[in-house]
Amino acid sequence: MKFVKSENIMHILWKILPFAGLLLWGPLCVTDNLWYDEGYTAALISRPLGELVEITSQDVHAPFYYILLKGFYTLCGGGTCFFSIKLFSLLFMTAYLFLGKYGVKKLYDEQTAVYFMLFSLLMPSMCIQAGNARMYAMGLFFFTAAGLLACGLAREPSGKKWVLFSLCALGSVYSHTFTMVQTFLLYLLLLGALLWKKKYVCIKWYLGSGLAVAAGYGAWLLVICRQMQSRIASAGANQEAFVPGLYTLMDYCKEWFSAMDSPITPVIYLGMALTLFLGYYAVDGMRRSGGYIPAWGMGILGITTLAGCLLSYYVTPCFLGRYVFPGFGILALWYAVGMKQISSGKIKAAVLLVFLLCFGLQYRSELELEYDGGLEAYQTFYQENIRPEDLIMATDIHTLYLNVYHPGQQYMAYGYLPPFSPFRNTTVFTQWEQLKDVTGNIWLYAFEDRDLPGFAPYYNTEEAFRFSYMYYDFVIYRLAPVG
């Protein structure tokens, strides 16, 4: 009776968990609060399609995500209400849960699928990316779909699966540069599995799929090579460039188990401990069953991280912890396979309780960021003080991103503006003559902990407003003419 009751509970969870994601992640996706990278996204998709592709060709990301998002954003009405660009990520996260519901069940069983979805919901990094207006949720969907299809091809290949696998792999490589690395490693593992199982008849399908994806991505690969050369040339002059060091792993763990800009120390350490704890059971389960899919998947995450570190150290700084997030379906599967091997109900309950604690702490932190009122305070200040004839100057591009809320205003970036900046109505301030034609006030947007540029002997800086917004503490100054 106890077994039957447990099976019924698992079946109910299997049915409802994908929809639970909408309830949990939805509140993080219905605000207009944006941090810098999201502001970049919002500015970019407001550009005409040709300009969008041109800007991305100078930056480091493929335009695929931005093109799809621009279409969705336009259908939702566009403008300066940006919740729709967060909902776009939520759609992919929900689709990812359905991959777990059906794909993991087919790969393993219903119980493993339930644990997969449950850990996906409770993983702190998932709730962060679910409402993040970036390409990581889309990459998670495409790479997970490609991974599940690759497992299916290794077991029971078919022409339909090969076509779907090729399409998902193409979507995956176009999601992010490091998702391309993960997809390449997935192809290598699939080749090894086909050779190991002596499915030689599938090699022609494998080569056809690989060539199709390579041809589809080939043009953008040339763009990436050009971008890397440009970054190598500029990195030599940038003394503050990020280079992996002894404590870099902890910075990565902040993003993998908590959040880079608002980390919660207990969540980080508990996440690491749970990965090792469930990993012990996962390895034991794989040893018993002879199926090593989770281990090979974790190898993809590890090799991708190593490749990013080596590339950053020896070539050019280019790797952050969140870049491997599209492969986190592997981590959820690692947890799920390990959890299923635990026979003690008390231990399972303890594991879930710790996961729930980590999720609750991080979720509360994210809710506080999304609903902290900083944007409302800034909008009130803007409406009461800033006029159309005024000029807004930003100390750097990161303070400039607030212009997405008022793109019609005149903006300047102090000293430097990247050639791939998507922000509208923005020029670069390099000489005093540029300010002579300003008939209104000049406002300087800065971060609280940064040194201000010098405006003497022409202007004094008068503090006008302070506010905290997302991860930043802003200070707005008014430049008052001397004399």
Side-chain angles (χ1 to χ4, degrees):
M1 290 296 294
K2 184 177 180 181
F3 175 74
V4 172
K5 185 178 179 181
S6 176
E7 269 200 340
N8 289 338
I9 292 174
M10 282 292 173
H11 187 64
I12 292 172
L13 289 174
W14 181 80
K15 285 188 172 184
I16 67 172
L17 280 178
F19 305 101
L22 292 172
L23 295 176
L24 286 174
W25 296 330
L28 302 173
C29 306
V30 291
T31 73
D32 288 331
N33 285 15
L34 304 175
W35 62 295
Y36 172 75
D37 281 10
E38 292 177 310
Y40 182 98
T41 298
L44 185 57
I45 62 172
S46 68
R47 294 278 189 168
L49 188 60
E51 292 182 16
L52 185 156
V53 175
E54 182 181 357
I55 292 172
T56 53
S57 69
Q58 298 178 67
D59 195 5
V60 292
H61 301 304
F64 179 53
Y65 163 75
Y66 298 109
I67 292 172
L68 293 181
L69 179 59
K70 181 177 177 64
F72 183 77
Y73 167 75
T74 303
L75 287 174
C76 292
T80 55
C81 293
F82 298 117
F83 65 88
S84 62
I85 66 176
K86 296 185 177 187
L87 288 176
F88 190 68
S89 293
L90 180 61
L91 292 178
F92 278 106
M93 292 296 290
T94 305
Y96 157 79
L97 288 177
F98 277 100
L99 287 177
K101 178 178 180 178
Y102 296 107
V104 175
K105 178 182 178 179
K106 190 171 184 180
L107 186 62
Y108 285 95
D109 51 42
E110 189 169 284
Q111 186 179 11
T112 307
V114 168
Y115 287 137
F116 177 92
M117 291 186 286
L118 195 58
F119 288 128
S120 294
L121 289 169
L122 296 180
M123 214 184 300
S125 56
M126 292 285 186
C127 79
I128 292 168
Q129 298 301 339
N132 192 359
R134 300 294 287 163
M135 68 289 297
Y136 304 112
M138 185 182 77
L140 176 69
F141 168 77
F142 279 115
F143 181 74
T144 304
L148 290 171
L149 285 165
C151 294
L153 288 169
R155 290 184 174 183
E156 298 177 4
S158 69
K160 181 180 179 181
K161 287 181 183 177
W162 278 111
V163 172
L164 289 174
F165 173 70
S166 301
L167 292 174
C168 289
L170 190 60
S172 182
V173 297
Y174 266 112
S175 294
H176 192 277
T177 302
F178 282 94
T179 315
M180 178 266 291
V181 175
Q182 292 174 338
T183 308
F184 174 74
L185 294 172
L186 178 64
Y187 263 92
L188 292 182
L189 283 177
L190 177 57
L191 176 61
L194 293 176
L195 293 176
W196 177 263
K197 291 177 176 288
K198 298 181 179 179
K199 295 181 182 289
Y200 303 122
V201 70
C202 293
I203 298 301
K204 63 179 181 180
W205 284 95
Y206 175 87
L207 293 175
S209 172
L211 289 173
V213 174
Y217 190 70
W220 195 256
L221 187 61
L222 296 176
V223 174
I224 289 179
C225 292
R226 190 182 72 238
Q227 291 170 350
M228 291 295 292
Q229 291 173 353
S230 176
R231 293 198 64 166
I232 292 170
S234 62
N238 184 6
Q239 297 300 319
E240 297 181 357
F242 170 78
V243 176
L246 183 62
Y247 299 102
T248 301
L249 178 61
M250 185 52 64
D251 286 333
Y252 293 155
C253 288
K254 290 177 182 177
E255 290 199 284
W256 295 338
F257 301 110
S258 181
M260 183 62 198
D261 294 296
S262 55
I264 302 173
T265 302
V267 172
I268 298 170
Y269 287 112
L270 286 173
M272 296 167 68
L274 286 168
T275 302
L276 293 174
F277 181 77
L278 290 175
Y280 167 80
Y281 286 98
V283 171
D284 184 58
M286 288 184 286
R287 179 184 58 82
R288 291 181 182 181
S289 66
Y292 295 94
I293 291 173
W296 290 116
M298 291 296 282
I300 290 177
L301 288 180
I303 295 173
T304 304
T305 302
L306 179 61
C309 291
L310 293 176
L311 196 62
S312 289
Y313 189 81
Y314 289 106
V315 183
T316 180
C318 63
F319 186 69
L320 296 173
R322 59 180 172 269
Y323 290 172
V324 299
F325 175 80
F328 267 33
I330 295 167
L331 188 58
L333 185 62
W334 178 261
Y335 290 151
V337 171
M339 187 70 161
K340 191 187 174 186
Q341 301 305 311
I342 300 175
S343 58
S344 170
K346 292 182 178 179
I347 295 178
K348 284 185 175 182
V351 169
L352 289 175
L353 185 61
V354 175
F355 261 101
L356 189 60
L357 173 64
C358 292
F359 168 80
L361 291 172
Q362 197 68 55
Y363 188 72
R364 183 182 66 178
S365 173
E366 294 304 306
L367 283 176
E368 289 174 351
L369 284 171
E370 292 292 344
Y371 295 93
D372 68 355
L375 177 60
E376 183 179 354
Y378 167 66
Q379 294 279 35
T380 300
F381 172 83
Y382 184 96
Q383 296 298 331
E384 293 178 352
N385 295 275
I386 299 179
R387 300 292 176 260
E389 65 271 15
D390 291 354
L391 169 69
I392 295 175
M393 187 180 296
T395 53
D396 58 48
I397 193 172
H398 286 82
T399 52
L400 178 67
Y401 92 92
L402 290 175
N403 92 344
V404 297
Y405 298 108
H406 306 282
Q409 195 71 38
Q410 183 183 1
Y411 292 86
M412 278 190 180
Y414 184 88
Y416 174 73
L417 188 66
F420 49 79
S421 170
F423 300 109
R424 290 181 173 274
N425 296 326
T426 303
T427 54
V428 183
F429 171 71
T430 56
Q431 52 188 350
W432 296 110
E433 287 74 13
Q434 293 174 265
L435 304 182
K436 288 182 178 180
D437 296 330
V438 179
T439 58
N441 289 317
I442 301 175
W443 304 92
L444 179 67
Y445 285 24
F447 289 135
E448 187 179 64
D449 57 348
R450 304 283 177 87
D451 293 332
L452 291 179
F455 290 94
Y458 298 98
Y459 294 94
N460 293 321
T461 53
E462 299 175 352
E463 184 177 318
F465 186 60
R466 286 175 178 260
F467 67 104
S468 295
Y469 175 51
M470 296 300 286
Y471 307 117
Y472 317 108
D473 294 317
F474 285 96
V475 184
I476 299 178
Y477 298 90
R478 188 175 73 90
L479 298 187
V482 174

